[in-house]
Amino acid sequence: EGYLLGSDALLTMENLLKAVRSGKKGFMDYKIDENFSGVDALQKGKSIIEQIKAAPYESPESYEETMQALEGAEQKAVPGENRAADFLKETHQPVTVSNLLEASAVLQEDAGIYQKLEDYEKEITREKELEAEGSRLEEYVMHLQESAGDEISLREGMEVFARQTEEILHDAQGQEGVGELDIRDMQQICRGIRFRAALSQESRYQIPVKLEEGYTVMNLTVRRGTGQAQAEISVETKEYGRLEAVFVKEQETGEAEAADGAKAGVRGSLFAESEGGTKLLEGITEKIQEKLRNAGVVAEDMTVMRGSRSRKGGAYGTENGAGTAAAAAKKEGQQEISTGELYQIAKIFLETVRK
């Protein structure tokens, strides 16, 4: 496995199977130099991190940050789970070292990539004495958030944001004192932003949010099925703690639709770990209900709860549960439901937290 990662080969099931089969024969790791005339060393029982460190990289510095990140991920990993790899498969992204690291950061809701981007921009403004002109990054983030009202606009916004941040980093590379490690770091940031933009094609979004304490992220996942659509939202703030929400839109049928002429109904469960967060979510709920009513959409139960959604086992089931509901709806002849209102709800959620 270490050689596959070190050579940046794809972590396909076929390649991993070959590596595992070799491992079962004694965890063999042979090192061969250009004057090879026999096996130099045989080491057994090495961890995956040790194998990656022993892989043939181009230079000693090439994977310094990768090593640190992998070691950190190994300490945080849940035994028996490979969330990052599963996430990449689910979102149809290539399973490479770079993508594994980015997937891990996304799953941990890590906003470090945006904080680094801001630091590089500050270096540019100091060098060129442009402090009075304001932050381009903050402006780009605001434009991205404004695009969150519908699926097409948000996907396009993620692509535009990726190009804009590349421009910032391109300018940063030309500053005095920028070394090779800085450039590698900037390249990694570019890959990370591009990775997040690619996730938008699977209706998964990580949207940066600038707060007083710095950057955080709002994660949004929209799942679409036949007769039902679901939006999952989460954000971590210093003031309110963790905020989570699940909104489900279901197609109204028959008598319910005829009774009030409304479109599909929306219901939601919102979770906050603090009292202040609970009050904030109650305010968000009122804004959402008003928005839905103005759009002619049935605003069903909107419940705010104290605690964590994950500890309560999630609201309205998992993805498999949504799939079962979609299959049942398909049997009834319903069409795939639109997600426009869910994106509008996410935008309200985002704007309220930002303020």
Side-chain angles (χ1 to χ4, degrees):
E1 298 98 319
Y3 184 84
L4 290 178
L5 294 172
S7 60
D8 204 28
L10 287 174
L11 293 180
T12 62
M13 292 302 295
E14 180 181 1
N15 288 342
L16 282 173
L17 181 58
K18 290 178 181 177
V20 169
R21 285 173 176 167
S22 296
K24 287 182 178 179
K25 294 179 181 178
F27 298 100
M28 296 179 292
D29 185 16
Y30 295 92
K31 291 184 178 180
I32 302 172
D33 61 24
E34 58 184 2
N35 299 315
F36 173 70
S37 60
V39 177
D40 290 336
L42 172 63
Q43 295 176 302
K44 296 182 180 182
K46 297 185 356 176
S47 72
I48 183 64
I49 298 298
E50 290 173 322
Q51 293 181 57
I52 294 171
K53 284 181 177 177
Y57 300 122
E58 294 180 0
S59 67
E61 297 85 7
S62 295
Y63 271 75
E64 179 180 348
E65 292 194 4
T66 300
M67 293 305 102
Q68 294 174 356
L70 284 171
E71 288 170 341
E74 185 180 51
Q75 293 173 1
K76 296 178 182 179
V78 178
E81 293 188 357
N82 192 348
R83 294 180 63 211
D86 291 342
F87 179 81
L88 292 177
K89 293 173 187 176
E90 184 181 343
T91 55
H92 306 101
Q93 302 299 316
V95 186
T96 63
V97 170
S98 176
N99 282 356
L100 282 168
L101 293 175
E102 296 304 333
S104 178
V106 168
L107 289 169
Q108 294 175 30
E109 301 182 1
D110 186 357
I113 191 171
Y114 306 107
Q115 206 64 57
K116 284 185 177 181
L117 195 52
E118 182 181 55
D119 292 341
Y120 280 121
E121 185 190 38
K122 287 179 178 178
E123 288 297 326
I124 299 172
T125 57
R126 277 196 292 267
E127 183 79 17
K128 295 185 177 181
E129 299 181 352
L130 298 174
E131 287 88 345
E133 295 190 7
S135 168
R136 281 190 292 166
L137 178 58
E138 289 187 29
E139 180 184 345
Y140 297 156
V141 167
M142 288 293 293
H143 288 163
L144 173 60
Q145 293 171 0
E146 288 301 316
S147 71
D150 65 87
E151 181 179 52
I152 294 175
S153 296
L154 185 51
R155 285 183 179 179
E156 291 177 351
M158 294 293 292
E159 289 293 334
V160 170
F161 181 71
R163 293 196 297 270
Q164 291 171 329
T165 53
E166 285 174 359
E167 292 174 3
I168 293 176
L169 292 170
H170 180 268
D171 292 344
Q173 287 181 13
Q175 300 306 302
E176 184 178 349
V178 173
E180 182 181 353
L181 290 179
D182 294 316
I183 292 176
R184 289 182 182 276
D185 189 41
M186 294 178 198
Q187 291 171 340
Q188 184 176 347
I189 293 172
C190 281
R191 288 194 296 269
I193 299 293
R194 279 290 172 190
F195 176 81
R196 287 155 178 77
L199 292 181
S200 68
Q201 300 304 312
E202 300 296 328
S203 300
R204 291 177 178 266
Y205 311 89
Q206 187 184 76
I207 304 172
V209 183
K210 181 64 184 291
L211 303 176
E212 289 185 6
E213 64 265 24
Y215 277 96
T216 186
V217 293
M218 187 186 88
N219 284 283
L220 168 65
T221 300
V222 179
R223 307 185 192 277
R224 178 184 294 157
T226 306
Q228 185 184 82
Q230 177 173 300
E232 302 168 8
I233 303 170
S234 64
V235 62
E236 187 96 23
T237 73
K238 184 177 181 180
E239 182 176 0
Y240 300 109
R242 183 167 181 79
L243 306 172
E244 299 171 287
V246 178
F247 297 95
V248 175
K249 177 183 176 184
E250 290 185 324
Q251 186 66 52
E252 296 289 345
T253 58
E255 296 179 2
E257 187 174 10
D260 52 21
K263 301 176 184 178
V266 177
R267 68 181 189 273
S269 288
L270 299 86
F271 302 83
E273 293 184 334
S274 68
E275 183 178 352
T278 301
K279 292 180 179 178
L280 179 72
L281 293 183
E282 288 172 350
I284 289 176
T285 298
E286 294 175 2
K287 293 179 181 179
I288 290 172
Q289 289 175 323
E290 181 180 0
K291 179 80 172 181
L292 293 174
R293 284 193 296 269
N294 292 339
V297 178
V298 177
E300 298 183 359
D301 292 339
M302 296 279 171
T303 306
V304 177
M305 289 173 271
R306 180 81 177 268
S308 170
R309 177 192 172 214
S310 57
R311 287 197 292 271
K312 291 180 180 293
Y316 305 122
T318 63
E319 186 177 4
N320 291 333
T324 303
K330 191 171 184 179
K331 290 180 181 179
E332 297 175 7
Q334 294 178 333
Q335 300 299 313
E336 187 177 81
I337 197 166
S338 68
T339 57
E341 287 83 7
L342 296 179
Y343 281 91
Q344 288 290 330
I345 288 172
K347 187 176 181 181
I348 293 172
F349 198 102
L350 174 61
E351 290 174 342
T352 307
V353 171
R354 185 182 67 202
K355 294 175 181 177

